Amino acid sequence: MQGSAGLMWIYRGYVVAFFLYLVAPLVAAGVFAFNDSMFPSLPWNGFTWDWFFSPSEPKLGLFHDDRLLQGLGNSLYIGVIVAALSVAVGTCNAFLFVRKDFRFKNALYVLMVVPLVIPGVILGISILVLASTIAGLADQWFGVFLTSLRPGIPLVVMGQFSFLVTITSLVIIARLEKFDISLEEAALNLGASRTRTLLTVTLPFLFPAMFSAFVVAFLVSFENFNTTLFLVGSDSPLTITMYDRMVKAGSTPVLNATSVVLMIGSGLLALLSIFAQRPKKA
Amino acid sequence: MSRDAGRLSLILLFTPFALWILLLIILPQIGIGYVSIREKVGINTYEYGFKNYVDFITEPVYRNTLLRTAWMSILVTALALVIGFPIAWYIAKIAKERSRAALFLMCLIPLWVSDLVRAYGWIVLLRETGVISMTLVKWGIISQPIEMLYNDMTVIIGLVYTVILFMIVPLVSTLQGMDDALLEAGYNLGGSRITVFRRIIAPYAMPGIVAGCIITFMLTAGSYLTPILLGGKNSSWFTEQIYNQFITRYNWESGSAFGVSLLVFTSFVVWAGLRLTGQSLATTVAKE
């Protein structure tokens, strides 16, 4: 790049300032988890682990706060189910769009991408409306109570699944397109059955992509708010529990402690998925 | 493989796709479309018509909220582009091989942390008793703590923060594909920096710019947490209106009309953006 040294330093300064902007709120959310105070703000009253481990009020620590732990449990449970479902359907979609030819394939491919450009709030309300309509009709016509179609964990799963499939499909499609089909032919020529070829050649090749799709889906599910907001019943996931507390009860550093745990957890998972993808590039 | 087996596997693979798209995407959209055109006139009796939409347009509060959301989303998208482009350029073209990967990874870190935690971080920084205000008081720069939350400026800062990575990532991947020889040729032929930027860099980066702008705009217009938490009760964000209609007032009919309006609006912007720049949805948004 041409350009005077002075300009280059201003440019570097700008980049540094940008990265400060990027980490500032994360650091702020993290640091106050260790402040020995009732409020997540200055002054600094000294270091404490209380917001993680203290067993009693007023400084009830995260690991003794039943509501937050319950939320965390719900989030994990929902995340695993949603991620597993999305990866399963995403894998089917990958084989469908990479290997098969059928009518309107391009139009259907666009349809597969569309959920990414529907605002999450709209996915949430539309699924809420449809599920309630069906539940209402079932009640009216057949006298059946379909509790799973009322707001609650099953609806949250459906809501998150509806757009996560697009993400997992795209990740797995990208990998399947790189597969050398002659490997499958070789296996077939050597006498392997279709199923065996799939299980021993194709799926192991796809596995890194499936794994990282799983992790991405899990993380997105875990932090999703917009879609989930409309579909929660009494068992709310962690994001909703935290939000309620922020808005209604006023925040204490226990929320900072939760943020720290979330940052560490999602950071580790993200690294894991990067390493799983790594061999592909090597 | 026999043709029958081929057909069977096609059907088996097609079924989950079709069920997903039909039951969770298409039918629900038809569902809110349907609910939005009906109006409750008694117990289980409805009238059909566009009254909900008429109410939406004639009630200034709702109409203005959508316009405000639209205008602020456009502003946030533009800011994200202006702020993000030099960063993407630095990562793609100036940084050395090793620091490039590290910088890119650093850009992704906030992406792994939920919106909620990020907005919360901003609250801790910006509120009256927050880090910035208290530090300024301590240093004697201001005499009284000041409240930096609950104004438009803060909402914009927070929104740019939440979406800027979705701008930078596509920009970096587009710019990385650009051959530096193109730039040299531009300069050798006597082009100034501005000419080179306008005639070479900008056209080359266009797919990334469009992809970034579409995703950022979409995410901003559809965001809920950041405007509410940083903007407070009077943030007047459109998704908040939808929430109020649905959950607070239990008026699903008008809530659905709001939802459909937002969807039509964002779809129109995405469509217009693709149209104006000659890109397609499958090649921009779907290209991670």
Side-chain angles (χ1 to χ4, degrees), chain A residues 244-268:
Chain A
D244 279 347
R245 201 164 293 190
M246 263 182 220
V247 178
K248 286 171 197 151
S251 46
T252 66
V254 74
L255 292 181
N256 297 70
T258 318
S259 305
V260 169
V261 171
L262 289 182
M263 283 189 244
I264 294 174
S266 47
L268 287 179

Side-chain angles (χ1 to χ4, degrees), chain A residues 1-4 7-8 11-12 14-16 18-19 21-26 28-29 32 39-43 89 91-93 95-97 99-103 108-123 125-130 132-133 140 157-159 161-167 169-171 194 219 222-226 229-230 238-240 242-243 246-247 251-256 258-260 262-263 266-268 270-271 274, chain B residues 1 5-6 9-10 12-14 16-17 20-21 23-29 31-32 35 44 82-87 89-91 93-94 96 103-118 120-125 127 129-132 134-135 156-158 160-162 164-165 168 183-184 187 193 214 218-219 221-225 228-229 233 239 242-243 246-247 252 255-256 258-260 262-263 266-267 270 281-282 285-288:
Chain A
M1 254 325 266
Q2 35 270 91
S4 63
L7 270 179
M8 204 55 218
Y11 194 4
R12 288 223 174 87
Y14 175 74
V15 173
V16 170
F18 175 78
F19 280 101
Y21 168 66
L22 221 52
V23 298
L26 301 183
F32 285 97
F39 307 101
S41 62
L42 292 171
V89 176
T91 311
C92 290
N93 283 350
F95 278 99
L96 180 68
F97 283 101
R99 294 291 178 82
K100 298 288 174 186
D101 269 312
F102 47 93
R103 247 191 285 178
L108 290 173
Y109 185 80
V110 171
L111 205 56
M112 187 197 85
V113 178
V114 159
L116 276 191
V117 289
I118 301 178
V121 169
I122 308 232
L123 285 174
I125 57 171
S126 64
I127 289 172
L128 173 68
V129 165
L130 186 74
S132 304
T133 312
Q140 213 176 318
V157 168
M158 281 190 240
F161 173 83
S162 70
F163 67 94
L164 278 172
V165 177
T166 304
I167 298 176
S169 300
L170 290 173
V171 172
R194 280 255 145 211
L219 284 177
F222 203 94
E223 44 179 77
N224 182 270
F225 188 87
N226 286 2
L229 180 64
F230 293 91
L238 189 59
T239 45
I240 307 284
M242 282 178 78
Y243 175 77
M246 263 182 220
V247 178
S251 46
T252 66
V254 74
L255 292 181
N256 297 70
T258 318
S259 305
V260 169
L262 289 182
M263 283 189 244
S266 47
L268 287 179
L271 283 179
I274 289 174
Chain B
M1 186 163 53
S9 66
L10 177 62
L12 284 179
L13 289 173
F14 196 77
F17 170 79
W20 160 53
I21 285 291
L23 291 179
L24 292 176
I25 305 296
I26 296 177
L27 277 181
Q29 302 307 323
I32 54 168
V35 172
N44 284 328
V82 172
I83 297 172
F85 197 92
I87 304 296
W89 181 261
Y90 191 90
I91 294 175
K93 289 288 163 199
I94 299 180
K96 305 268 182 311
L103 285 177
F104 197 59
L105 213 60
M106 265 174 73
C107 271
L108 295 177
I109 288 173
L111 211 63
W112 302 333
V113 180
S114 82
D115 281 2
L116 189 78
V117 172
R118 290 188 263 169
Y120 182 63
W122 281 113
I123 294 177
V124 172
L125 280 176
R127 76 161 131 224
T129 56
V131 176
I132 294 181
M134 292 310 257
T135 310
I156 288 174
I157 292 176
V160 169
Y161 183 82
T162 8
I164 195 161
L165 304 162
I168 292 179
L183 296 178
E184 277 166 36
Y187 287 121
R193 271 162 200 270
I214 287 178
M218 242 278 308
L219 288 175
S223 66
Y224 181 86
L225 271 175
I228 308 270
L229 286 177
K233 287 276 171 268
T239 46
I242 297 180
Y243 181 86
F246 260 88
I247 309 291
W252 285 18
S256 298
F258 285 19
V260 172
L262 179 65
L263 183 62
T266 52
S267 311
V270 170
L281 192 63
V285 179
K287 236 177 75 184
E288 291 288 284

Side-chain angles (χ1 to χ4, degrees), chain B residues 104-286:
Chain B
F104 197 59
L105 213 60
M106 265 174 73
C107 271
L108 295 177
I109 288 173
L111 211 63
W112 302 333
V113 180
S114 82
D115 281 2
L116 189 78
V117 172
R118 290 188 263 169
Y120 182 63
W122 281 113
I123 294 177
V124 172
L125 280 176
L126 295 176
R127 76 161 131 224
E128 203 175 348
T129 56
V131 176
I132 294 181
S133 157
M134 292 310 257
T135 310
L136 290 178
V137 170
K138 207 173 173 189
W139 288 348
I141 297 173
I142 51 173
S143 53
Q144 287 285 311
I146 43 168
E147 180 63 89
M148 281 175 270
L149 287 178
Y150 316 129
N151 62 54
D152 287 358
M153 194 49 203
T154 311
V155 174
I156 288 174
I157 292 176
L159 281 171
V160 169
Y161 183 82
T162 8
V163 297
I164 195 161
L165 304 162
F166 294 93
M167 181 68 87
I168 292 179
V169 172
L171 280 178
V172 169
S173 44
T174 318
L175 287 173
Q176 265 178 344
M178 189 166 103
D179 191 345
D180 289 347
L182 287 175
L183 296 178
E184 277 166 36
Y187 287 121
N188 287 344
L189 291 169
S192 67
R193 271 162 200 270
I194 295 167
T195 321
V196 169
F197 180 79
R198 203 167 49 86
R199 306 275 299 265
I200 300 178
I201 300 175
Y204 192 92
M206 202 41 92
I209 295 176
V210 175
C213 286
I214 287 178
I215 300 172
T216 8
F217 178 82
M218 242 278 308
L219 288 175
T220 317
S223 66
Y224 181 86
L225 271 175
T226 317
I228 308 270
L229 286 177
L230 300 183
K233 287 276 171 268
N234 44 12
S235 66
S236 335
W237 206 253
F238 197 63
T239 46
E240 189 185 15
Q241 299 283 358
I242 297 180
Y243 181 86
N244 287 343
Q245 295 296 334
F246 260 88
I247 309 291
T248 318
R249 301 178 54 185
Y250 208 69
N251 187 349
W252 285 18
E253 283 74 21
S254 93
S256 298
F258 285 19
V260 172
S261 309
L262 179 65
L263 183 62
V264 167
F265 171 71
T266 52
S267 311
F268 171 76
V269 173
V270 170
W271 175 83
L274 291 171
R275 212 61 218 277
L276 285 174
T277 52
Q279 309 286 324
S280 88
L281 192 63
T283 53
T284 52
V285 179

Side-chain angles (χ1 to χ4, degrees), chain A residues 22-73:
Chain A
L22 221 52
V23 298
L26 301 183
V27 172
V31 166
F32 285 97
F34 305 99
N35 187 13
D36 197 358
S37 153
M38 287 309 292
F39 307 101
S41 62
L42 292 171
W44 183 258
N45 291 342
F47 183 89
T48 180
W49 283 105
D50 282 359
W51 294 110
F52 291 88
F53 302 113
S54 161
S56 59
E57 296 279 5
K59 282 202 263 173
L60 188 61
L62 165 63
F63 294 109
H64 296 277
D65 189 320
D66 290 338
R67 301 253 330 263
L68 287 176
L69 287 180
Q70 180 87 53
L72 185 68

